[in-house]
């Protein structure tokens, strides 16, 4: 969300560098941590893409929402950007989407062309006060990201680390909820109207997720469980018992 032209200018570098450094992925239930590379698909913010109540999909809606701005002008922030961020956050709250990040891009060249500008970091302070409350880390500064300097590189690396961390946190949380919903659905398999085909699609999507993360053993576990469940279905059906 936010300044689409700004994001477009940074996207090639972002998409190339985001997966370079691995992240340690820690999950619950005593599972051993693993190192994974994060590749993300960025889409323009639209309310219709947000998950709806009862949506069991994991791959069809965005996890982390990012608002981009390079505003450094007092009046522009008051009259335009602040209102735009407010509308964006209200839509997220309406859909219970709590994973977000605001990126403020600072450009020395842009500041030189402005007269009514705030002192350095003041826009960031205002955004943090207006929107972040106790989550000040949800607003980050990206300094001259396209400039070839050590300061710009340090800023870019810090931003990538923050983005990887938030992406992984959000993904892990959504994955955990998806697995909980899947287990609840599986436990209902003896109830009338339960469909193995519908359940198959849910657990197969979980397998696809593990494949995307190159966690092939975890993906195979999902197919083994589906195979066992289907075998039970066939045996019960052949014995004249309840269909699963």
């Amino acid at each position: 969300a936010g300044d689409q032209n700004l994001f477009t200018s940074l996207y090639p570098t972002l998409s190339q560098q985001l997966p370079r450094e691995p992240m340690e992925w820690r999950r619950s239930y005593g599972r051993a941590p693993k190192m994974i590379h994060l590749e993300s698909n960025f889409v323009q913010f639209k309310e219709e893409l947000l998950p709806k109540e009862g949506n069991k999909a994991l791959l069809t809606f965005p996890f982390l929402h990012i608002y981009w701005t390079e505003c450094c002008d007092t009046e522009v922030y008051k009259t335009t950007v602040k209102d735009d961020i407010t509308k964006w956050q209200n839509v997220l709250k309406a859909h219970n989407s709590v994973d977000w990040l605001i990126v403020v891009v600072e450009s020395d060249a842009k500041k030189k062309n402005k007269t009514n500008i705030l002192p350095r970091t003041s826009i960031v302070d205002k955004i943090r006060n207006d929107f972040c409350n106790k989550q000040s880390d949800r607003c980050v500064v990206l300094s001259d990201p396209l400039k070839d300097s050590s300061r710009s590189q340090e800023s870019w690396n810090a931003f990538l680390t923050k983005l990887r961390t938030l992406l992984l946190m959000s993904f892990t949380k959504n994955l955990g909820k998806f697995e909980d919903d899947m287990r609840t659905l599986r436990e209902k398999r003896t109830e009338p109207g339960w469909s193995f085909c519908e359940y198959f699609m849910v657990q197969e999507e979980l397998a696809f997720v593990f494949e995307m993360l190159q966690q092939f053993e975890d993906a195979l576990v999902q197919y083994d469980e589906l195979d066992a469940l289907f075998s039970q279905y066939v045996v019960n059906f052949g014995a004249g018992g309840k269909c699963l």
Side-chain angles (χ1 to χ4, degrees):
D3 190 331
Q4 297 298 319
N5 291 331
L6 173 63
F7 174 75
T8 300
S9 69
L10 300 175
Y11 173 72
T13 307
L14 178 60
S15 60
Q16 181 184 35
Q17 294 190 8
L18 184 65
R20 282 186 179 176
E21 297 294 330
M23 290 287 291
E24 185 179 64
W25 188 29
R26 290 185 173 272
R27 302 184 65 204
S28 55
Y29 308 113
R31 296 165 179 166
K34 298 180 180 180
M35 301 303 292
I36 63 171
H37 292 264
L38 291 172
E39 292 189 21
S40 297
N41 179 35
F42 293 89
V43 296
Q44 187 171 348
F45 180 78
K46 294 178 182 177
E47 185 172 359
E48 55 264 32
L49 293 179
L50 297 177
K52 299 175 178 60
E53 189 68 30
N55 188 334
K56 292 184 174 61
L58 186 64
L59 298 174
T60 56
F61 61 86
F63 294 138
L64 178 67
H65 303 275
I66 309 175
Y67 187 96
W68 298 80
T69 180
E70 55 180 346
C71 176
C72 58
D73 186 292
T74 311
E75 292 305 314
V76 172
Y77 176 75
K78 288 181 180 178
T79 59
T80 305
V81 175
K82 183 178 179 180
D83 185 53
D84 198 35
I85 296 177
T86 300
K87 291 177 181 177
W88 173 68
Q89 287 212 333
N90 286 340
V91 172
L92 294 180
K93 289 175 184 176
H95 290 267
N96 297 315
S97 297
V98 297
D99 296 319
W100 51 267
L101 179 67
I102 300 173
V103 182
V104 181
V105 178
E106 288 187 342
S107 170
D108 289 337
K110 187 176 178 66
K111 284 189 173 184
K112 288 177 182 176
N113 295 327
K114 296 287 185 180
T115 55
N116 187 27
I117 63 171
L118 290 170
R120 176 180 289 280
T121 74
S122 290
I123 283 286
V124 177
D125 291 339
K126 277 189 166 293
I127 291 176
R128 285 173 176 161
N129 290 332
D130 291 337
F131 301 103
C132 298
N133 296 321
K134 296 179 180 179
Q135 295 177 293
S136 60
D137 63 325
R138 291 303 177 102
C139 179
V140 299
V141 180
L142 193 51
S143 301
D144 277 313
L146 299 179
K147 193 174 181 179
D148 186 14
S149 69
S150 58
R151 176 172 166 270
S152 297
Q153 193 59 51
E154 288 176 8
S155 173
W156 186 252
N157 290 338
F159 165 67
L160 287 176
T161 300
K162 168 65 69 175
L163 184 55
R164 292 186 190 111
T165 301
L166 291 179
L167 275 170
L168 195 55
M169 284 173 53
S170 180
F171 173 75
T172 303
K173 180 177 66 177
N174 281 279
L175 178 64
K177 185 177 185 306
F178 183 87
E179 290 179 311
D180 289 342
D181 291 343
M182 187 184 76
R183 281 190 286 269
T184 300
L185 183 60
R186 184 170 59 215
E187 290 168 359
K188 295 180 179 180
R189 62 187 180 277
T190 57
E191 297 180 5
W194 191 87
S195 169
F196 174 80
C197 291
E198 290 182 8
Y199 176 79
F200 179 92
M201 300 295 286
V202 174
Q203 190 155 359
E204 184 186 40
E205 183 164 358
L206 182 59
F208 287 158
V209 169
F210 287 127
E211 286 181 47
M212 289 170 57
L213 295 172
Q214 298 186 355
Q215 304 301 311
F216 300 115
E217 290 184 4
D218 289 327
L220 284 172
V221 167
Q222 310 310 314
Y223 290 116
D224 286 342
E225 290 181 358
L226 284 169
D227 180 53
L229 193 61
F230 184 69
S231 297
Q232 184 183 357
Y233 173 91
V234 173
V235 169
N236 283 14
F237 184 77
K242 284 186 178 181
C243 293
L244 296 179

